[in-house]
Amino acid sequence: MIDLHCHLDLYPDPHSVVHECHTRGTYVLSVTTTPSAWEGTHALAKQAPRIRTALGLHPQIAHLRKAELPLFEKLLPKVRYVGEIGLDGGPEYKQFWQDQELVFNRILDLCVQEGGRIMTLHSRRAATPVLDALEARSQAGTPILHWFSGSQRELSRAIEMGCWFSVGPAMLETNKGRQLVAKMPRDRVLTETDGPFAQTEGRPLLPWETARASAVLASVWNHSQDAVEQQLRQNLRTLTGKSGLPLDGT
Ligand code: MN
């Protein structure tokens, strides 16, 4: 099982979730919403070789945490994965748009300087500006659009630009989500939960519950679930450029 976008530190009992991931052999990209959360979140997974911790600054709190950009810069050389970063065009965050752009563009510039990173990106109601920013800084690394909810036209553009996609049970419950995933290149799709923010049946999704997403992929792709899992593992290896442990590096 692979969860490429999960907020491990935000579960009520992160240690038990980490333990369960370890027991089940779940690969997790543990994303953070602030640079100051990185050390503690990284420490959570010290004994779990299949969990990697990404350095992030979430667009919904960019205006509150922009003073943490120097800390982001300091930590960036230690990490291979960056996220959650991006832009949010929802009405409640539009007023902070300037700060969002400042933070996002600065992070992309830093990733360029550091030779590129694997990035997990938020683009709610902002797919076009996120793609514009990525296009302007094409050396920032490999973008993964998490929970993509843009238009079919924006999706085509993202595919042409070489973006990857992580899709979860909540996204795939909707017709729109399933129509989008049907158009995504199968060799650039990975699963995620976005737990504990994303929920199922009124409770937070847990990392191994990406099985629900691979079940939907099996029906959309007309594959067995085993074949889907195999494809996803291969995709993770391609993404991370590793022949052994798919999620390697810090
Ligand atoms: Mn998230």
Side-chain angles (χ1 to χ4, degrees), residues 7 26 71 122 141 150 175 184 186 192 197 199 208 215:
H7 299 263
T26 313
L71 179 59
H122 178 109
N175 277 330
M184 292 170 183
R186 293 179 193 187
E192 66 164 39
F197 291 124
Q199 308 220 331
W208 48 91

Side-chain angles (χ1 to χ4, degrees), residues 5 7 31 58 84 146 194 197:
H5 185 110
H7 299 263
V31 302
H58 199 290
E84 177 165 2
H146 118 83
D194 201 19
F197 291 124

Side-chain angles (χ1 to χ4, degrees), residues 9-233:
D9 60 328
L10 302 181
Y11 286 96
D13 183 359
H15 289 282
S16 75
V17 179
V18 167
H19 181 76
E20 185 79 19
C21 287
H22 189 57
T23 306
R24 291 171 180 258
T26 313
Y27 290 99
V28 180
L29 186 58
S30 162
V31 302
T32 52
T33 56
T34 65
S36 52
W38 188 82
E39 291 282 2
T41 309
H42 177 59
L44 269 179
K46 278 230 160 95
Q47 313 300 324
R50 293 184 173 193
I51 302 178
R52 289 294 175 267
T53 308
L55 174 64
L57 207 169
H58 199 290
Q60 293 176 349
I61 54 172
H63 58 293
L64 302 171
R65 299 301 187 112
K66 57 187 175 184
E68 290 188 33
L69 278 172
L71 179 59
F72 189 102
E73 183 172 3
K74 189 180 142 201
L75 293 172
L76 186 59
K78 295 191 184 189
V79 304
R80 215 177 153 218
Y81 305 92
V82 160
E84 177 165 2
I85 59 167
L87 296 169
D88 191 306
E92 61 278 51
Y93 301 107
K94 256 284 152 63
Q95 57 183 312
F96 308 118
W97 188 254
Q98 255 191 321
D99 282 337
Q100 290 193 49
E101 283 200 316
L102 180 140
V103 166
F104 185 42
N105 289 334
R106 175 70 181 145
I107 288 174
L108 293 177
D109 284 337
L110 291 168
C111 289
V112 172
Q113 269 178 41
E114 284 294 320
R117 289 292 183 270
I118 295 170
M119 305 174 288
T120 174
L121 297 151
H122 178 109
S123 58
R124 173 182 174 252
R125 297 194 185 198
T128 290
V130 165
L131 294 174
D132 288 344
L134 290 170
E135 203 165 59
R137 295 163 181 82
S138 60
Q139 304 306 306
T142 307
I144 309 158
L145 297 171
H146 118 83
W147 200 334
F148 182 79
S149 58
S151 66
Q152 290 282 349
R153 185 185 288 262
E154 287 168 321
L155 174 63
S156 301
R157 181 180 172 206
I159 293 169
E160 246 170 66
M161 286 173 58
C163 292
W164 288 63
F165 303 90
S166 59
V167 301
M171 169 181 172
L172 297 178
E173 269 171 20
T174 67
N175 277 330
K176 184 185 174 184
R178 286 192 296 269
Q179 282 161 5
L180 287 167
V181 84
K183 297 270 174 66
M184 292 170 183
R186 293 179 193 187
D187 57 358
R188 275 192 258 152
V189 171
L190 286 155
T191 47
E192 66 164 39
T193 61
D194 201 19
F197 291 124
Q199 308 220 331
T200 185
E201 294 148 14
R203 54 157 186 95
L205 278 160
L206 291 154
W208 48 91
E209 291 183 301
T210 52
R212 290 166 182 254
S214 27
V216 178
L217 289 175
S219 97
V220 174
W221 291 348
N222 198 20
H223 271 352
S224 69
Q225 195 152 348
D226 274 355
V228 169
E229 295 294 347
Q230 215 176 336
Q231 172 82 56
L232 295 171
R233 268 196 301 276

Side-chain angles (χ1 to χ4, degrees), residues 231-248:
Q231 172 82 56
L232 295 171
R233 268 196 301 276
Q234 181 54 48
N235 291 352
L236 185 57
R237 276 186 214 109
T238 308
L239 175 75
T240 61
K242 297 283 167 177
S243 49
L245 250 191
L247 266 183
D248 215 349

